[in-house]
Amino acid sequence: MYNKSIVNKIRKIIPLERFRHSLAVATLCQKIASYHKVSEKKAFLAGLLHDVAKDFSSRKIIGMVRNDPKIKGYKTIPSLHGIAGAEFVKKEFKITDEEVLNAIAYHVIPQDNPTPLEKIVYIADKLEINKDFPNRGYYIKLSLQNLDKCFEEMKKNSKKIKEEK
């Protein structure tokens, strides 16, 4: 279901813990996609690559996205790692599928009217096994039954958690 050369290449680029997280997200993306007639291959790929730029320096991230119109509305440099990651995989992995690139770019702060793949990556990133998202079991079940409802509820829940911190 996935390209081993991409898995091997990403493993060499990102730290081991980030790789484990990304592999878990990719696996969950693939599972959710299978319930919603979304390409499992694209879901796995977007999940695997979603955090490729998370450990890049602030300087590198800014350099990659400085002129990108997608950055409008982003308030912190770390929140730009999705957009930087999409640029990185476009250049380094020669991935041109806009659906995959957008799912990577918008997994941190979703755009208005996200595609099903964008919703899947956003959801899976928060629910992967090693994260402590409140009511994780409920949301995993909901993600398989009703993607839109799960996405909207998780967005609200995420905002609420950030406000409490």
Side-chain angles (χ1 to χ4, degrees), residues 94-117:
K94 309 296 185 232
I95 293 172
T96 57
D97 185 311
E98 285 298 319
E99 191 177 14
V100 171
L101 294 172
N102 283 339
I104 294 167
Y106 297 116
H107 82 274
V108 181
I109 300 173
Q111 64 177 337
D112 294 334
N113 303 311
T115 66
L117 183 58

Side-chain angles (χ1 to χ4, degrees), residues 61-104:
I61 290 173
I62 291 169
M64 294 174 77
V65 303
R66 181 179 298 122
N67 298 318
D68 193 321
K70 292 183 192 122
I71 68 171
K72 184 180 176 188
Y74 285 74
K75 294 181 178 147
T76 65
I77 293 169
S79 68
L80 293 168
H81 78 269
I83 293 171
E87 286 302 313
F88 181 81
V89 301
K90 191 176 190 177
K91 289 177 184 161
E92 295 298 316
F93 292 88
K94 309 296 185 232
I95 293 172
T96 57
D97 185 311
E98 285 298 319
E99 191 177 14
V100 171
L101 294 172
N102 283 339
I104 294 167

Side-chain angles (χ1 to χ4, degrees), residues 45-162:
L45 184 62
L48 182 67
L49 299 173
H50 81 285
D51 269 352
V52 69
K54 183 123 185 187
D55 296 296
F56 288 179
S57 69
S58 294
R59 176 175 280 163
K60 185 170 183 173
I61 290 173
I62 291 169
M64 294 174 77
V65 303
R66 181 179 298 122
N67 298 318
D68 193 321
K70 292 183 192 122
I71 68 171
K72 184 180 176 188
Y74 285 74
K75 294 181 178 147
T76 65
I77 293 169
S79 68
L80 293 168
H81 78 269
I83 293 171
E87 286 302 313
F88 181 81
V89 301
K90 191 176 190 177
K91 289 177 184 161
E92 295 298 316
F93 292 88
K94 309 296 185 232
I95 293 172
T96 57
D97 185 311
E98 285 298 319
E99 191 177 14
V100 171
L101 294 172
N102 283 339
I104 294 167
Y106 297 116
H107 82 274
V108 181
I109 300 173
Q111 64 177 337
D112 294 334
N113 303 311
T115 66
L117 183 58
E118 290 171 37
K119 291 175 186 177
I120 288 169
V121 176
Y122 177 86
I123 290 167
D125 183 38
K126 300 220 177 332
L127 296 180
E128 74 91 348
I129 193 77
N130 298 307
K131 286 206 175 174
D132 187 27
F133 195 84
N135 301 312
R136 183 179 177 276
Y138 163 77
Y139 285 114
I140 286 184
K141 187 176 179 181
L142 184 59
S143 74
L144 303 177
Q145 296 170 344
N146 188 329
L147 188 63
D148 295 331
K149 183 176 180 183
C150 182
F151 175 75
E152 291 303 326
E153 284 189 22
M154 286 185 66
K155 249 182 27 176
K156 283 181 201 166
N157 197 334
S158 291
K159 285 179 186 175
K160 188 174 163 185
I161 291 168
K162 285 178 186 171

Side-chain angles (χ1 to χ4, degrees), residues 9-25:
K9 191 172 181 181
I10 195 75
R11 172 58 199 103
K12 292 174 185 171
I13 294 171
I14 62 177
L16 181 59
E17 284 304 309
R18 180 86 48 226
F19 177 72
R20 287 182 178 143
H21 163 72
S22 295
L23 205 51
V25 170

